[in-house]
Amino acid sequence: MKFRRGRLYDAFFISDIHYLLNKKIKSHKHKELFQLLDHLNKKEVKFDNLYLVGDIIENWFFSADRRLQRVKGKKRFNKLFERLDRLSSGNGKKYYIVGNHDTTSYLMRLTPKVEHYLIERGWIICEKAENETLIAIHGHQGQYNKFTWMGSILVLRILHVFASALPALFKFSENFYHKHLNRQDPSTVEETLHYYQKLSKLTHQDKKVLISGHTHDFLCIPKMNIINTGDWVKSNSFVIQDGKKFSGIRMTARKEFKKEFVLHV
């Protein structure tokens, strides 16, 4: 598919960028993401509403707050958010939905400096964004309750202290966390349906479209009105709303895009 110059859409959804992450720790597609954002900006494509559906900033193994205090770190933040801001038509809202990798707070809050940075740029920070058509939520709520979240964060903070002293432990810490502490993402059809049924119930979805991220699975379940935006680790995917039509799009190469699914409300 191609984007027509000057096109205005209702909304843009993207998640699981894990920005600031070092490739030595975990793979990512940040270079390709900037190619997408630059292409949309060059084509003057605009969106009334922007939804960052969680895990946008990697804050589990590196302190995003400390990085933001540095000149080089501030430039990296600006590099991403200046491009995202230019996608906004100015007639709607910009939502930053907090994901599990965005924070190490027991209360699931962004760090003060990151929060202040986003608010200054006009982003609405929330756990869930909702209107008459859709609900957008990161999705880790389907795996964590308050107690399992706090327990995981406690252990993660301990691992982070050791890893800060010895950088080679970052990789070990991540593997240890996922193997022994993290609840595994759904892999079978039964597990996937159970996970999204739980998420639907938690969000009181009703007949609205439920849009999430978290599992990194780029998918659409039409019978349940559910969409997962995928990620920028492997999928290179995003979702666009045009009226009552939601299109899941994958970037296959520089300036090349493939429409994977369309959900009509």
Side-chain angles (χ1 to χ4, degrees):
M1 65 166 290
K2 293 184 178 181
F3 289 98
R4 194 175 75 233
R5 180 173 295 277
R7 180 70 190 272
L8 175 65
Y9 293 94
D10 288 276
F12 175 79
F13 304 83
I14 195 167
S15 75
D16 297 275
I17 295 171
H18 295 277
Y19 191 56
L20 302 179
L21 190 62
N22 190 319
K23 258 195 171 180
K24 291 181 180 179
I25 307 302
K26 192 175 182 181
S27 62
H28 59 70
K29 299 287 187 179
H30 297 161
K31 178 182 176 181
E32 289 80 359
L33 172 65
F34 286 121
Q35 289 174 357
L36 164 68
L37 299 178
D38 287 340
H39 179 69
L40 293 176
N41 281 312
K42 188 175 180 180
K43 286 283 189 177
E44 299 177 351
V45 175
K46 299 289 183 182
F47 304 88
D48 281 337
N49 298 289
L50 302 179
Y51 294 84
L52 303 185
V53 194
D55 283 5
I56 303 303
I57 296 172
E58 179 57 52
N59 196 38
W60 274 23
F61 301 101
F62 302 93
S63 171
D65 215 45
R66 284 202 297 269
R67 288 194 170 195
L68 187 53
Q69 295 178 61
R70 304 168 188 165
V71 174
K72 188 176 180 180
K74 181 71 173 292
K75 286 181 178 178
R76 289 195 68 188
F77 270 80
N78 292 341
K79 182 179 179 181
L80 174 63
F81 285 98
E82 284 176 359
R83 285 168 167 81
L84 288 168
D85 288 341
R86 285 199 292 268
L87 295 180
S88 173
S89 69
N91 296 321
K93 296 178 179 179
K94 301 185 297 183
Y95 297 96
Y96 191 108
I97 298 164
V98 180
N100 53 309
H101 275 257
D102 288 304
T103 178
T104 54
S105 163
Y106 292 118
L107 300 177
M108 211 170 287
R109 292 282 304 272
L110 294 179
T111 57
K113 288 183 175 60
V114 172
E115 187 173 86
H116 180 69
Y117 174 86
L118 293 168
I119 290 173
E120 276 195 326
R121 302 190 77 96
W123 290 89
I124 299 168
I125 301 168
C126 55
E127 183 179 334
K128 179 176 72 171
E130 183 174 3
N131 59 32
E132 65 279 359
T133 305
L134 65 90
I135 298 171
I137 191 169
H138 181 57
H140 60 277
Q141 295 86 346
Q143 292 179 315
Y144 295 100
N145 59 41
K146 290 182 179 180
F147 298 106
T148 56
W149 171 259
M150 292 177 71
S152 294
I153 291 300
L154 174 61
V155 177
L156 185 66
R157 285 184 172 191
I158 294 171
L159 292 174
H160 186 87
V161 170
F162 287 110
S164 297
L166 185 60
L169 281 176
F170 278 120
K171 190 70 174 179
F172 169 79
S173 298
E174 183 191 30
N175 291 336
F176 181 90
Y177 176 82
H178 285 297
K179 185 176 181 180
H180 299 288
L181 302 171
N182 191 27
R183 296 189 172 193
Q184 295 299 309
D185 292 332
S187 56
T188 66
V189 174
E190 291 77 13
E191 289 173 347
T192 299
L193 288 175
H194 177 73
Y195 166 75
Y196 284 110
Q197 285 167 355
K198 183 176 180 181
L199 207 56
S200 175
K201 186 177 180 180
L202 284 170
T203 58
H204 306 288
Q205 179 190 2
D206 196 24
K207 296 181 180 180
K208 295 181 180 181
V209 177
L210 177 59
I211 299 177
S212 69
H214 184 56
T215 65
H216 293 209
D217 293 322
F218 186 42
L219 58 80
C220 176
I221 309 176
K223 290 184 179 180
M224 298 177 68
N225 269 1
I226 281 175
I227 291 173
N228 190 301
T229 58
D231 64 11
W232 285 84
V233 173
K234 58 181 180 180
S235 299
N236 296 17
S237 54
F238 56 100
V239 172
I240 285 178
Q241 179 189 1
D242 185 14
K244 294 187 177 182
K245 181 174 71 175
F246 292 81
S247 301
I249 302 167
R250 188 190 303 272
M251 180 178 174
T252 55
R254 189 185 181 97
K255 300 181 182 180
E256 293 182 15
F257 306 91
K258 180 182 179 183
K259 193 177 291 185
E260 296 272 324
F261 59 78
V262 176
L263 177 64
H264 294 272
V265 181

